[in-house]
């Protein structure tokens, strides 16, 4: 069986996390998310991890070459031998180039870049409508999964609140940053014939089915 080397792209609220969990379960791929990896490298105390730590402890952005080094180190781990699922990396064309060159050097390649897409207005509606109960963190949505009594948790009666990160203005800022960062990457991978678009407005089960069908087609083409 050939490797399944995947990158996940998509705006916040398009369901990337859910799909990553399902793909990890389907194929046993390690889910490699940049923030987690930097934290893990810091804790493992590798040379690059310690370097990353210095920036993180100072509250500074970890420079590109350190992030790239940590990710590439992670892709060399035993559990990533048959494939990986990258999430949150690459973020820039420079990172994408570095990743491509490193994979080439190991005679590996990307299988596909999955773009789980959803229009901004849907993303804003999905995220800004979330309400969380103060006591236990039960999650509701004002339109899609409303509580029986306004602003009260059905289970424990505690007050529901909106997380600051979920406020509409914050979501719109995140979307602006997302579009600025990601659109060049979408074009980059489209030019290389690697981009596969998935409709993130569908239910998580439908999105999952679409991704599985896409990957099955790619593997079939590969084997011909
Ligand atoms: Zn609750």
């Amino acid at each position: 069986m050939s490797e399944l080397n995947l990158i996940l792209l998509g705006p916040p609220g398009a369901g990337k996390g859910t799909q990553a969990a399902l793909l990890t379960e389907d194929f046993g791929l390690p889910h490699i998310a940049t923030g987690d990896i930097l934290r893990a490298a810091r804790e493992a105390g590798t040379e690059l991890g310690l370097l990353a730590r210095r920036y993180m402890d100072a509250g500074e952005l970890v420079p590109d070459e350190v992030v790239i080094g940590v990710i590439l180190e992670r892709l060399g781990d035993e559990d990533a031998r048959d494939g990986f699922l990258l999430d949150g990396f690459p973020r820039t064309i420079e990172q994408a180039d570095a990743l491509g060159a490193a994979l080439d050097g190991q005679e590996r390649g990307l299988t596909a870049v999955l773009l789980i897409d959803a229009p901004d207005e849907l993303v804003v509606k999905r995220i800004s409508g979330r309400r969380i109960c103060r006591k236990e963190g039960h999650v509701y949505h004002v339109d899609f999964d409303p509580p029986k009594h306004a602003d009260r948790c059905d289970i424990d009666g505690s007050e529901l609140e909106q997380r600051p990160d979920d406020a509409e203005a914050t979501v719109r800022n995140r979307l602006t940053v997302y579009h600025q960062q990601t659109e060049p990457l979408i074009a980059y991978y489209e030019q290389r014939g690697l981009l596969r678009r998935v409709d993130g407005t569908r239910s998580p089960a439908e999105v999952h089915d679409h991704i599985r069908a896409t990957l099955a087609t790619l593997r079939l083409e590969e084997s011909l």
Side-chain angles (χ1 to χ4, degrees):
M1 189 73 91
S2 56
E3 292 177 28
L4 203 50
N5 299 335
L6 303 171
I7 294 175
L8 266 187
L9 294 178
K16 260 191 323 162
T18 305
Q19 297 305 323
L22 292 169
L23 285 170
T24 298
E25 215 177 279
D26 287 347
F27 301 107
L29 303 175
H31 176 208
I32 302 180
T34 316
D36 299 342
I37 293 309
L38 286 175
R39 275 189 292 277
R42 188 175 64 173
E43 274 152 34
T46 63
E47 199 179 323
L48 281 167
L50 292 174
L51 195 55
R53 173 184 212 151
R54 266 194 267 151
Y55 291 98
M56 293 164 94
D57 287 351
E60 287 170 30
L61 213 61
V62 182
D64 239 18
E65 63 267 25
V66 178
V67 178
I68 292 167
V70 170
I71 297 279
L72 295 181
E73 219 168 55
R74 179 68 185 84
L75 297 184
D77 284 354
E78 182 67 20
D79 69 338
R81 212 182 46 184
D82 296 328
F84 52 78
L85 185 59
L86 275 175
D87 178 1
F89 181 92
R91 269 195 211 284
T92 63
I93 299 293
E94 292 71 31
Q95 291 182 350
D97 279 336
L99 175 66
L103 290 174
D104 277 350
Q106 298 167 10
E107 289 176 13
R108 304 174 86 177
L110 290 170
T111 310
V113 176
L114 301 169
L115 170 62
I116 304 176
D117 215 357
D120 285 7
E121 288 319 306
L122 179 64
V123 165
V124 169
K125 196 173 176 186
R126 276 183 181 170
I127 300 180
S128 67
R130 273 186 210 149
R131 296 293 181 273
I132 318 289
C133 107
R134 278 176 192 261
K135 199 171 170 194
E136 298 276 354
H138 301 116
V139 182
Y140 297 84
H141 191 284
V142 292
D143 298 310
F144 307 136
D145 184 20
K148 289 194 190 79
H149 305 284
D151 302 323
R152 289 283 156 198
C153 178
D154 290 351
I155 299 160
D156 51 47
S158 79
E159 206 181 327
L160 300 182
E161 61 185 7
Q162 184 184 48
R163 280 189 297 228
D165 270 3
D166 293 346
E168 180 172 340
T170 311
V171 179
R172 290 200 186 275
N173 283 335
R174 282 162 69 195
L175 280 169
T176 304
V177 172
Y178 165 78
H179 287 299
Q180 282 168 355
Q181 281 187 337
T182 314
E183 258 143 38
L185 281 175
I186 292 172
Y188 178 96
Y189 286 121
E190 201 150 40
Q191 281 162 14
R192 286 158 179 77
L194 287 167
L195 193 78
R196 296 292 179 277
R197 287 176 194 271
V198 182
D199 182 359
T201 68
R202 308 279 183 140
S203 73
E206 287 173 311
V207 173
H208 180 224
D209 286 346
H210 185 177
I211 291 175
R212 288 195 59 124
T214 302
L215 296 178
T217 307
L218 283 171
R219 293 195 130 167
L220 195 64
E221 286 167 359
E222 208 176 54
S223 68
L224 290 178

